[in-house]
Every structure is written in C-alpha cells, then in structure tokens.
Amino acid sequence: LLILFACIGMTAVLLFSNYRNVALFKEAQSNFQRGDEKSLDAAEAQLLQLIRNDDDNENAYIMLSAIAGKRKIYPDMVYYSHMAHKLNPLSAANKAEYVKSLLFAREFGRLENFLSHQSELSNKDKQILRYAAGRNGNIKNFPTQPDRRSDDNKLGELASLLYERKNLTVQEKLTALEDDFKSDDLFLQQEVLAAKAELYLAAGKIGDTEKALLEAYKLNEF
C-alpha cells in the first residue's frame, strides 16, 4: 500500500509539473509572438524558468535562440541553437539554425569543424564550409565546386575570389566585389563589406576602410 500511495503521489507531482511547464511555454509563446521588447523580455524569463524546470526542453531552446537572433545577440544564439541541436540532432531545422548562428557570430573555426564532420551537405552548406575554411586559411582542403551560378554558390564564389584567385590585383578584387556579389542575404552583405575593408586597408585607403567597416557594423554590431 505504501508503495502504491508513493507511486500515485509521484505521478500526481509529475502531472502537475508537466501541466505547469506546458502552461509556462504557452505564455512564453504568446509573448514571443507579440514581438515587442517588453514581451520578448517576458518570454525570455519564462523560457529560462522552463529550462530550470526541464533542461531537456528542445522547444524552449529553439525559442530562446530565435529571441537572441531577433536581438542580434549572436553568442547567445549560438549557445541556445547548439543546445536544441544537441537534444535533437536529426532535426534539419535545428542544424540550419545552429549553422546560421555560427555564421553571424563569425565562429569560423567551429563552423568549419562542424560542417566538415557532417556525412551529407547541401550545396549551400558546402559553400558555407568553403568560406569558413577560407577564413581559417584551409580552403585548399575543400576544392572548388562545379560552377552552378545560384545564390547558394555566392559564399563559395566569395571564398574563391578572396583566397584562391591570387592572380587578381586588389583593385580587380574590389571591382568584382562591387559587380558580382549583390544580394539580399544580410550575411553575404556584411562579409562583402568586411572583405572590402580588408582590401582597402591593404591598399592603404584608410577612409574607404572606415566607411566599409561602419556599413558592416550597421548590419552586425557583434
């Protein structure tokens, strides 16, 4: 009887705790959907409480990652998206969010390491890997992919321009950046600006370097 009553009591506690966690997540979800800063603060506090109650809650980490992304706090986005991916590594959405967070945090070492150990990569991920490897000085480990002109190839093409085409002058590279890399992709925009800043600096054009850096900073203060 004692064992039976103990089991009934434990079941009741678990059911009540689960009910509280579900209610807390729904409140956080509602605040997140409102989207204003005060509501995001409330959602973040509720989700952190939820994680303290249940540190295996994948959905809480996913939403915390989204909040960090909205606020452009990319180190937090890296942490939360990594936890979601760790809890459910088979989720393509979790993997994509983790890769995105590493891109905007410019964690190129971790990005190259993560993607190079994946068994299968989309064309887009292959180009991301080439760019990360280029930033790390390892582009020779990932030969140029067949040229299929598309938005998915842009980062790979940028890597090739910056780190493989050594026959081009600084000015030729700057012209190519201006003409060939127009895109709505915010990450590509910031990396093109960063590349321009580096090339201007190499050419001793300090004013142009500062201008490019300030434009990049507007896109990504981190």
Side-chain angles (χ1 to χ4, degrees):
L1 286 174
L2 285 174
I3 293 172
L4 178 60
F5 285 134
C7 289
I8 292 171
M10 182 64 69
T11 301
V13 168
L14 290 173
L15 286 172
F16 178 72
S17 176
N18 186 59
Y19 171 79
R20 289 286 303 274
N21 288 343
V22 169
L24 196 57
F25 181 78
K26 286 183 176 179
E27 290 174 15
Q29 193 173 41
S30 178
N31 281 316
F32 176 76
Q33 288 170 347
R34 288 190 188 95
D36 60 274
E37 197 60 33
K38 185 177 179 180
S39 295
L40 289 178
D41 284 341
E44 183 178 34
Q46 289 159 341
L47 291 166
L48 290 172
Q49 178 61 52
L50 180 54
I51 285 173
R52 285 191 288 271
N53 298 342
D54 175 17
D55 61 1
D56 287 338
N57 195 305
E58 176 191 351
N59 289 326
Y61 286 114
I62 290 171
M63 198 176 296
L64 282 166
S65 174
I67 290 172
K70 279 178 174 286
R71 291 172 164 170
K72 298 185 178 183
I73 306 175
Y74 296 119
D76 286 358
M77 187 181 178
V78 168
Y79 172 73
Y80 293 127
S81 61
H82 172 69
M83 290 301 297
H85 173 71
K86 185 177 177 182
L87 288 168
N88 186 2
L90 298 180
S91 167
N94 287 356
K95 175 188 168 184
E97 193 69 8
Y98 181 47
V99 168
K100 179 182 176 181
S101 73
L102 291 173
L103 277 172
F104 279 96
R106 304 188 93 229
E107 291 270 7
F108 295 122
R110 288 177 66 178
L111 189 55
E112 180 186 350
N113 183 62
F114 176 71
L115 290 177
S116 64
H117 286 87
Q118 300 297 304
S119 57
E120 292 185 11
L121 291 176
S122 66
N123 184 57
K124 182 176 181 179
D125 282 345
K126 287 176 182 177
Q127 305 310 316
I128 291 173
L129 175 56
R130 275 178 50 74
Y131 185 72
R135 280 284 173 188
N136 298 329
N138 299 324
I139 198 168
K140 63 182 180 298
N141 296 334
F142 304 96
T144 303
Q145 301 296 317
D147 186 19
R148 293 172 296 176
R149 307 292 291 188
S150 74
D151 288 342
D152 282 356
N153 280 26
K154 286 293 186 182
L155 271 182
E157 292 170 17
L158 181 59
S160 181
L161 174 70
L162 297 177
Y163 307 114
E164 289 183 322
R165 300 176 64 184
K166 300 183 184 299
N167 59 310
L168 297 181
T169 65
V170 167
Q171 187 54 54
E172 286 173 330
K173 288 186 178 184
L174 283 167
T175 300
L177 289 174
E178 194 67 38
D179 295 341
D180 300 336
F181 291 92
K182 292 180 173 63
S183 173
D184 294 330
D185 185 299
L186 293 179
F187 179 74
L188 183 64
Q189 289 178 25
Q190 77 175 38
E191 293 308 301
V192 167
L193 288 166
K196 284 182 178 180
E198 292 166 1
L199 291 168
Y200 283 133
L201 188 61
K205 298 180 178 180
I206 305 303
D208 288 333
T209 300
E210 180 182 22
K211 181 180 177 182
L213 283 173
L214 287 173
E215 289 182 31
Y217 185 70
K218 288 179 185 176
L219 295 175
N220 186 349
E221 294 183 6
F222 172 75

